[in-house]
Amino acid sequence: MSTITIEKLVQGGRGLARQEGQVLLVRGVIPGETVSFASGAKRKGVQEATVREILKPSPDRIAALCPVYEVCGGCQLQHVRYDAQLGYKREILAETLTRVGKLQVEVPSVVPSPNPYGYRSSVRFVVFRSKPGFTLGFHEEGSHAPVAAAGCLLVPEAMRKVIADVQERLARYGKLPVQVDSLEVRRSTAFGSTLLSWRTGPAMRSQAEKLFALFQDVPNVVGQVVTAENRGRWVAGQDWIADRLDDLLFRITDGTFVQANWSLTETLARTLVEWVAPSS
């Protein structure tokens, strides 16, 4: 049985170890752990590996809350205590600045999120067929195989209720008016309004309108957008939601980029305001 001891975590959350001069990258491990492993694909001189057994677990190891964590590609560190995650993220950033940026800087402590779970104000699901209807999910790590994940724990409870309603309706239909590839759900943290943004294959307005009709009465949904592969774009209701940051109001459309953790966006903005405030 081949065993290795994990040296550190690298960008993307994998553990790095070495064996006979070969660099191995392993998912789901923590620095200091000794594990047995099975070799996987080799990419750019780096050997991928999967854990067979944790022989010497880290005191930072916990049971992941998400039931699909082992296969879903959305999260990488749920098996690590949250306060320990912050330390490892700091080390990853410091190592990246040194190795890639050639910068010798003292990286301060990472600011924790108020909510390690339930913090996302937006989430994009793949939509795939699952008998008898359709299901919301994500991709397996390293593949395009879908994983059912409508109950993702990174989404706040109020937003999960909207997603559950949409999921329940999708599951009813053996056929949709148009080929749906993905659904992005955006929710206003300040006001609770929700925007549904569908990405589809080639579509006509009539097909978009039929899709809208299936979800038009979902509570708290103020608008829907269809963006089709053939560049068609149609809107039912609003194509935006509003959110608040102190005394500023933001109009966020289906094409707006914002960080998904609105609480930390507020923290970042207030920090910047403090930095640029005029001094004596």
Side-chain angles (χ1 to χ4, degrees), residues 44-235:
K44 298 181 179 179
V46 174
Q47 182 71 57
E48 300 277 348
T50 56
V51 173
R52 283 182 171 170
E53 184 180 358
I54 305 290
L55 302 173
K56 179 186 173 186
S58 166
D60 293 329
R61 178 171 288 278
I62 59 173
L65 294 180
C66 177
V68 296
Y69 173 66
E70 296 297 330
V71 291
C72 178
C75 295
Q76 293 79 38
L77 297 176
Q78 282 195 25
H79 63 287
V80 185
R81 287 188 302 108
Y82 183 62
D83 57 341
Q85 287 184 32
L86 302 180
Y88 292 128
K89 290 176 181 179
R90 177 182 177 277
E91 292 173 5
I92 291 170
L93 176 58
E95 193 270 343
T96 302
L97 291 173
T98 301
R99 179 176 54 83
V100 180
K102 311 302 180 186
L103 299 173
Q104 298 294 330
V105 295
E106 180 62 29
V107 177
S109 299
V110 178
V111 176
S113 172
N115 302 299
Y117 291 90
Y119 62 82
R120 293 193 67 95
S121 59
S122 66
V123 61
R124 177 172 291 173
F125 295 101
V126 294
V127 180
F128 63 98
R129 177 171 289 281
S130 178
K131 294 182 180 180
F134 292 85
T135 298
L136 298 172
F138 303 116
H139 288 127
E140 283 187 18
E141 185 175 30
S143 83
H144 292 291
V147 178
C152 178
L153 299 179
L154 302 191
V155 176
E157 180 61 31
M159 193 170 169
R160 285 211 298 271
K161 290 180 180 178
V162 173
I163 293 168
D165 193 333
V166 172
Q167 169 62 74
E168 191 274 332
R169 296 175 190 222
L170 282 170
R172 293 180 204 162
Y173 304 114
K175 185 177 181 180
L176 294 173
V178 64
Q179 173 197 323
V180 176
D181 298 323
S182 67
L183 167 65
E184 183 177 57
V185 183
R186 293 187 179 220
R187 181 178 182 273
S188 166
T189 301
F191 304 108
S193 51
T194 303
L195 177 66
L196 303 180
S197 300
W198 305 91
R199 289 194 174 273
T200 74
M204 299 182 294
R205 175 184 292 275
S206 60
Q207 293 172 297
E209 290 175 347
K210 289 177 182 177
L211 183 67
F212 292 149
L214 301 180
F215 305 95
Q216 64 182 356
D217 59 342
V218 175
N220 298 314
V221 170
V222 297
Q224 299 183 71
V225 180
V226 161
T227 302
E229 186 180 301
N230 57 347
R231 300 193 177 185
R233 183 178 182 275
W234 300 278
V235 179

